[in-house]
Amino acid sequence: MSIVRLGINPLTWTNDDMPSLGGDTPLETCLSEGREAGFSGFELGNKFPRDPDVLGPILQRHDLSLVSGWYSSELLTRSAEEEIEAIKPHLHLLKSLGAKAMVFCEVSHCVHGRRDVPLSHSPSMSEAQWQTFIPRLNQVADYCLEQGVQIAYHHHLGTVIETEAEVDRLMAEAAPSVGLLLDSGHLVGAGGDPIAVQQKYAERIVHVHCKDIRREVLEDARNRDLSFLDGVLNGMFTVPGDGFIDYITLFKGLRDSGYEGWVVVEAEQDPAVAHPLTYARLGCDNLKRFCAEAELTVTE
């Protein structure tokens, strides 16, 4: 029996890549509304304290767990030893508050935070860069796993590992200590198939992000060669069940593989257009329904 917990990312309320979106929304609002919507945990965002002695009591007050938190890696421009030193405060925070996976993404040359750069200009790694990147990533992943937190590599639009083919190479060459974060929306946005990826790498998946896609907005973004942030502003992303991704089949695959961990709504929208509590409730309700149909057991 596969058992999952339902979490949410604060992007529903306030955006890290474009801080003006929900910039005035306090952390307390995010946490209280997320709990009201039915989630039992939160990922980190830019408004979260980074001291576990401060953040822990805040989460406890809302009866929430720390799910995970994004880490921006720069392994193409610094050594594994330098990255390990840089990662230690983040790792300490996750470990102290019981998170078992770290959302990890290489951001060297990334364009997803630049509204003036279209997604067609996403970076890619040369053969020499792959040969540099993989050994460094393995060293950092081994260190984190020794500390009790596994890297969950986040393939992400606008970064050096975006497409299904790039995920394939990462999984083929990276050590077993490098887990995979399966993000349905980012794979579909990059032309990939999250169901196929789940089936190929079921044993490597340690974290799941559920970001649905509005097909017509994605097609418009590609046709007009828009940036990631313009896609967000136009409503390309939404909560699971509000787009066209087949989550029931995806979740049946997670069930069959024995996945146990967090299933997280991470669906950035403009909170002035997409009312955060309304969409948080919709996302949680839909996840519960999909899990029930797929026979994934949800626990607090």
Side-chain angles (χ1 to χ4, degrees):
M1 180 174 65
S2 293
I3 300 174
V4 298
R5 301 177 72 189
L6 304 186
I8 192 166
N9 188 288
L11 282 169
T12 297
W13 292 266
T14 178
N15 196 295
D16 284 9
D17 293 325
M18 188 179 287
S20 60
L21 297 182
D24 295 333
T25 303
L27 177 60
E28 288 290 318
T29 298
C30 302
L31 298 178
S32 62
E33 291 189 353
R35 194 70 185 97
E36 181 181 344
F39 294 98
S40 58
F42 259 82
E43 290 189 333
L44 294 171
N46 60 17
K47 294 180 179 177
F48 284 63
R50 297 305 165 119
D51 181 342
D53 292 332
V54 176
L55 179 57
I58 293 173
L59 293 173
Q60 274 189 331
R61 210 162 51 236
H62 292 277
D63 193 24
L64 291 165
S65 298
L66 178 63
V67 175
S68 185
W70 171 283
Y71 178 77
S72 295
S73 165
E74 299 177 45
L75 284 169
L76 291 178
T77 59
R78 58 190 179 193
S79 69
E81 291 78 12
E82 289 170 327
E83 198 70 70
I84 286 170
E85 284 304 310
I87 210 170
K88 282 181 177 178
H90 188 62
L91 180 60
H92 173 67
L93 175 60
L94 297 182
K95 182 179 178 180
S96 297
L97 296 183
K100 300 301 183 184
M102 178 193 297
V103 178
F104 187 100
C105 184
E106 177 65 26
V107 300
S108 298
H109 318 303
C110 67
V111 301
H112 65 281
R114 296 184 56 185
R115 196 175 175 188
D116 61 327
V117 179
L119 276 173
S120 61
H121 288 60
S122 291
S124 60
M125 285 191 281
S126 66
E127 185 61 31
Q129 287 175 318
W130 274 102
Q131 297 301 322
T132 296
F133 176 69
I134 292 294
R136 291 177 178 179
L137 174 64
N138 289 343
Q139 189 173 337
V140 174
D142 287 347
Y143 173 80
C144 290
L145 191 56
E146 289 168 2
Q147 301 300 311
V149 178
Q150 187 168 17
I151 280 177
Y153 194 93
H154 192 342
H155 54 91
H156 196 290
L157 289 166
T159 72
V160 294
I161 297 180
E162 172 188 88
T163 66
E164 188 171 336
E166 289 161 345
V167 172
D168 287 340
R169 180 162 184 180
L170 175 72
M171 291 290 95
E173 299 185 10
S177 55
V178 179
L180 179 64
L181 187 160
L182 178 65
D183 188 301
S184 54
H186 278 284
L187 267 177
V188 170
D193 181 354
I195 294 169
V197 169
Q198 187 279 323
Q199 292 171 347
K200 281 189 287 187
Y201 305 116
E203 300 306 313
R204 300 288 292 273
I205 294 169
V206 297
H207 202 51
V208 176
H209 276 179
C210 297
K211 182 199 311 287
D212 214 336
I213 295 272
R214 295 184 175 101
R215 189 194 303 270
E216 67 281 2
V217 186
L218 173 62
E219 291 173 351
D220 178 67
R222 289 300 187 184
N223 288 339
R224 294 198 288 134
D225 201 20
L226 300 182
S227 68
F228 177 79
L229 291 178
D230 277 333
V232 170
L233 290 171
N234 290 346
M236 183 165 69
F237 302 123
T238 185
V239 297
D242 192 40
F244 72 95
I245 295 176
D246 178 4
Y247 281 100
I248 294 175
T249 300
L250 181 63
F251 284 8
K252 285 180 179 178
L254 293 175
R255 176 204 66 198
D256 292 343
S257 70
Y259 175 77
E260 292 193 357
W262 288 95
V263 174
V264 179
V265 170
E266 192 216 33
E268 53 265 58
Q269 301 185 79
D270 183 348
V273 176
H275 183 252
L277 179 56
T278 299
Y279 276 87
R281 281 175 171 154
L282 178 64
C284 192
D285 290 347
N286 285 343
L287 280 185
K288 288 178 178 177
R289 177 166 53 86
F290 298 153
C291 286
E293 292 192 40
E295 298 179 338
L296 273 174
T297 300
V298 176
T299 180
E300 286 285 315

